[in-house]
Amino acid sequence: MFKINENYLKLPGSYLFSTIGKKVAAYAEAHPDKRLIRLGIGDVTQPLAPAIIRALHAAVDEMGSRETFRGYAPDLGYDFLRTAIAENDYKSRGCDISADEIFVSDGAKCDCSNIQEIFGQDNRIAVCDPVYPVYVDSNVMAGRAGEWIPEKEMFSNVIYMPCTMDNDFVPAFPKETPDMIYLCYPNNPTGATLTKAQLQDWVDYANRVGAVILYDAAYEAYISEENVPHSIFECEGARTCAIEFRSFSKNAGFTGVRLGFTVVPRDLKCGDVSLHSLWARRHGTKYNGAPYIIQRAGEAVYSPEGKAELKEQVAYYMKNAHVIYEGLKSAGYTVAGGVNAPYIWLKTPEGMDSWKFFDYLLETANVVGTPGSGFGPSGEGYFRLTAFGTYENTVEAIERIKKL
Amino acid sequence: MFKINENYLKLPGSYLFSTIGKKVAAYAEAHPDKRLIRLGIGDVTQPLAPAIIRALHAAVDEMGSRETFRGYAPDLGYDFLRTAIAENDYKSRGCDISADEIFVSDGAKCDCSNIQEIFGQDNRIAVCDPVYPVYVDSNVMAGRAGEWIPEKEMFSNVIYMPCTMDNDFVPAFPKETPDMIYLCYPNNPTGATLTKAQLQDWVDYANRVGAVILYDAAYEAYISEENVPHSIFECEGARTCAIEFRSFSKNAGFTGVRLGFTVVPRDLKCGDVSLHSLWARRHGTKYNGAPYIIQRAGEAVYSPEGKAELKEQVAYYMKNAHVIYEGLKSAGYTVAGGVNAPYIWLKTPEGMDSWKFFDYLLETANVVGTPGSGFGPSGEGYFRLTAFGTYENTVEAIERIKKL
């Protein structure tokens, strides 16, 4: 008789955003007269930029003509896109990353969750706490996280690195030595950043202890301050210890378009084996490339028109972030994030727990956010709002919260 | 120090089609005057049908307007597509499959290779031999295949079911009892099919021994004979033992567009645990849905215009299959497949080994095919040609082979 992967049964409850979705749907059904404003999930609301729409139409036309039709894409991505990425995201910042170290995919979520496959079963992972749930859940499924400890809301074999107001959301090096360290900066959910010096410390630490850093830079387009690195490859020594994940979801509004990439430098090795070759083998065996028309849309992100239009789009969301940040502050909330990231991380008032505050906001202000405890035990007592709504809704949501 | 997944190192050589690609590139570079005809990889050559192009343009326009823009898709696929699939591919054939048992994805290759994740580590897999390499390779990576035995060209823990001319390419039930059985019909690479009665025997066998059948029906659109089932769910009892994979790559030319789906019936269980819930959890955690515009293209496949246009497209390729089949036969080759499948499977002449015949065809006829031994040890002495070229090239390739 066939057996299932029992590790799946260790996952507590459902995926955070499914739970929120169900709660919100139930409230909306019971109160059809209320107009909900959703600042919960990090989904964008602005339409694709005109330069991207033009590129999509042009590529669709190519697919309709025998002379220009394209079948299977190269597993690792078309050269035109990999080259544009290498030039614009790396060489222009002085990072030594070449086009053939870039693996194009259908999004950072897939890559972040699949990357653990190329690592050994007995590696120990370290994560920030609170954290984007995918890093831990994908390792639970692989049997690398140990057992769920309900009273701690932690997995027995995961090293949690608390990030709270007390340490400005910058984790300390853990007491136990990890093999795989997940870092996400600008951070989801706290909106915190590392300075270049702080990230350099992590790179040095990883090289010293022989750990690999899995660096999620999905929100780099939101960085507004000078001393905040956009890529881990701005740090010296990162080529021997880091893998970086990037997304087109937040800088170009591709949440429903699906495009991302992962950088695996050729110098990253375990003994003689390069992780680049392992990831290439995974892509070749289990993936068939991102759609041609969508890779052309990705290319348009780097065109002069695309860049100009997307700069405006990011500015639009950051104006929302400013509205939320300043509005909540003036209403007496303790607030973080929102300066280099589209997320605002607030302390719940009067020590209310995160889910209680979720219900309170939903029921009294009809505003949907994300309870901090959904991201890990150190998120308890915090709450996330996103800047990805429309400006009008964002202003109204904050007005409603101010009136509570 | 972090460790890698050592199972990756057990994979012998590179992915079959990468090896072929390199050999062909080297030949082309050395002989720039020769015009190669590629009938190797199963990639389509006809442009997307007009109905699909129209749907893509319309969806792109929706993404460019604030009122109709769509962000994250539902993890499991948009209802409009799941419903179209359930109606057209299942209900119309009398299969009891509902829309919520359909999981939309970016292609059958991903699903076929990812599905093993939800199964236990110590399950034994059985595969036809020869076989599409992805089934075995994905299990090797997961550590389920045992060790590579070079002299046998087999993995120690995989049950191989030989399919040769001697058994009309229909495998016998294996001596050892498997937990997971991969079946692909119409078959890649042999082009063979099972009758409904033969497939029913496999369903009964799986239910009897407690195995799950992983049924790859990527080529069902090429079935021309009446008694050949298009879906395993045409068989009684399949809801308790089968998962089915489908692709839009070959029926609609989506190899570079990327769309597929997997059917996991709710009755398929291991004890209390439904595989439907495990696969849903995997999708929710590691996947972010297929692109909206591409799901709209998938919907157009089921429109009256789409159906009519794609029927013609399939007929075009099947005319090629006929040219290859009859041409080789008249030239004295022993040929199989090509009637319900876009693949022609031939015996190499004079007992030549498969790679030797590959080189011979490449060098003397400048025709690229796929060596049978690349699909497994029982493929030795066979060779695959595909019907996915243009008609003109196909005719010329066969003329060249006839002249050898």
Side-chain angles (χ1 to χ4, degrees), chain A residues 39-62:
Chain A
L39 304 179
I41 195 165
D43 198 359
V44 296
T45 50
Q46 295 301 296
L48 296 182
I52 293 163
I53 294 292
R54 281 196 302 276
L56 283 166
H57 278 307
V60 168
D61 282 334
E62 284 186 66

Side-chain angles (χ1 to χ4, degrees), chain B residues 255-272:
Chain B
T255 55
V257 177
R258 311 307 313 140
L259 194 67
F261 62 90
T262 291
V263 182
V264 188
R266 289 190 182 272
D267 299 344
L268 179 56
K269 289 184 180 179
C270 174
D272 289 343

Side-chain angles (χ1 to χ4, degrees), chain A residues 138-166:
Chain A
S138 59
N139 278 287
V140 173
M141 290 167 161
R144 209 177 276 111
E147 303 298 324
W148 176 244
I149 309 169
E151 59 278 18
K152 291 187 174 175
E153 303 212 333
M154 287 177 163
F155 282 94
S156 59
N157 204 35
V158 172
I159 301 170
Y160 292 85
M161 306 185 290
C163 297
T164 63
M165 294 239 165
D166 297 339

Side-chain angles (χ1 to χ4, degrees), chain A residues 107-289:
Chain A
K109 183 180 177 188
C110 297
D111 286 353
C112 283
S113 58
N114 289 329
I115 196 74
Q116 47 76 30
E117 282 184 32
I118 65 170
F119 291 95
Q121 183 68 20
D122 53 352
N123 284 356
R124 286 212 59 194
I125 72 160
V127 294
C128 292
D129 168 24
V131 72
Y132 178 47
V134 165
Y135 313 143
V136 174
D137 288 1
S138 59
N139 278 287
V140 173
M141 290 167 161
R144 209 177 276 111
E147 303 298 324
W148 176 244
I149 309 169
E151 59 278 18
K152 291 187 174 175
E153 303 212 333
M154 287 177 163
F155 282 94
S156 59
N157 204 35
V158 172
I159 301 170
Y160 292 85
M161 306 185 290
C163 297
T164 63
M165 294 239 165
D166 297 339
N167 59 9
D168 246 349
F169 306 105
V170 175
F173 299 140
K175 282 177 205 149
E176 298 170 276
T177 304
D179 302 299
M180 296 157 60
I181 303 164
Y182 288 86
L183 293 179
C184 171
Y185 288 99
N187 189 255
N188 174 15
T190 69
T193 50
L194 296 185
T195 63
K196 190 166 168 192
Q198 285 172 321
L199 186 56
Q200 184 66 57
D201 285 347
W202 275 99
V203 168
D204 295 342
Y205 169 80
N207 276 322
R208 198 161 63 239
V209 302
V212 62
I213 296 177
L214 302 163
Y215 193 74
D216 183 350
Y219 300 96
E220 64 79 31
Y222 292 85
I223 293 171
S224 66
E225 293 181 322
E226 272 298 313
N227 65 338
V228 177
H230 288 244
S231 164
I232 195 167
F233 298 110
E234 293 179 36
C235 296
E236 219 170 302
R239 285 184 58 86
T240 55
C241 72
I243 290 174
E244 180 164 290
F245 306 99
R246 290 280 190 102
S247 168
F248 289 82
S249 287
K250 310 301 161 87
N251 64 332
F254 276 27
T255 55
V257 177
R258 312 306 314 140
L259 194 66
F261 61 91
T262 291
V263 182
V264 188
R266 288 187 182 274
D267 299 345
L268 179 56
K269 290 184 179 178
C270 174
D272 290 342
V273 183
S274 94
L275 297 197
H276 186 282
S277 70
L278 297 184
W279 191 238
R281 187 68 200 241
R282 192 206 176 273
H283 256 48
T285 303
K286 298 191 176 184
Y287 187 56
N288 244 331

Side-chain angles (χ1 to χ4, degrees), chain A residues 2-14:
Chain A
F2 75 86
K3 287 165 217 79
I4 57 154
N5 177 351
E6 301 269 343
N7 293 313
Y8 272 60
L9 308 181
K10 297 175 186 169
L11 289 164
S14 73

Side-chain angles (χ1 to χ4, degrees), chain A residues 1-5 8-9 11 13-15 42-48 53 56-57 60-61 63-66 69-72 106 109-110 113-114 116-120 122-123 134 137-138 141 179 209-212 250 253 255-258 268-270 273 275 278 281-282 284-289 291-294 316, chain B residues 1-5 8-9 11 13-15 42-48 53 56-57 60-61 63-66 69-72 106 109-110 113-114 116-120 122-123 134 137-138 141 179 209-212 250 253 255-258 268-270 273 275 278 281-282 284-289 291-294 316:
Chain A
M1 174 74 195
F2 75 86
K3 287 165 217 79
I4 57 154
N5 177 351
Y8 272 60
L9 308 181
L11 289 164
S14 73
Y15 185 61
D43 198 359
V44 296
T45 50
Q46 295 301 296
L48 296 182
I53 294 292
L56 283 166
H57 278 307
V60 168
D61 282 334
M63 295 296 278
S65 153
R66 181 171 309 205
F69 174 78
R70 309 250 191 159
Y72 287 120
D106 65 333
K109 183 180 177 188
C110 297
S113 58
N114 289 329
Q116 47 76 30
E117 282 184 32
I118 65 170
F119 291 95
D122 53 352
N123 284 356
V134 165
D137 288 1
S138 59
M141 290 167 161
D179 302 299
V209 302
V212 62
K250 310 301 161 87
T255 55
V257 177
R258 312 306 314 140
L268 179 56
K269 290 184 179 178
C270 174
V273 183
L275 297 197
L278 297 184
R281 187 68 200 241
R282 192 206 176 273
T285 303
K286 298 191 176 184
Y287 187 56
N288 244 331
Y292 172 68
I293 56 179
I294 285 168
Y316 176 94
Chain B
M1 176 74 196
F2 75 87
K3 287 164 218 80
I4 58 155
N5 178 351
Y8 272 60
L9 308 182
L11 289 165
S14 74
Y15 185 61
D43 198 359
V44 296
T45 49
Q46 296 301 296
L48 296 182
I53 293 292
L56 283 166
H57 278 307
V60 168
D61 282 334
M63 295 296 278
S65 153
R66 182 172 307 206
F69 174 78
R70 310 250 191 160
Y72 287 120
D106 65 333
K109 183 180 178 187
C110 296
S113 58
N114 289 329
Q116 46 77 30
E117 283 185 31
I118 65 170
F119 291 96
D122 53 351
N123 284 355
V134 166
D137 288 0
S138 59
M141 290 167 162
D179 302 300
V209 303
V212 62
K250 309 301 160 89
T255 55
V257 177
R258 311 307 313 140
L268 179 56
K269 289 184 180 179
C270 174
V273 183
L275 297 198
L278 296 185
R281 187 67 200 241
R282 191 205 177 274
T285 302
K286 298 192 178 184
Y287 187 56
N288 244 332
Y292 172 68
I293 56 178
I294 286 169
Y316 177 94

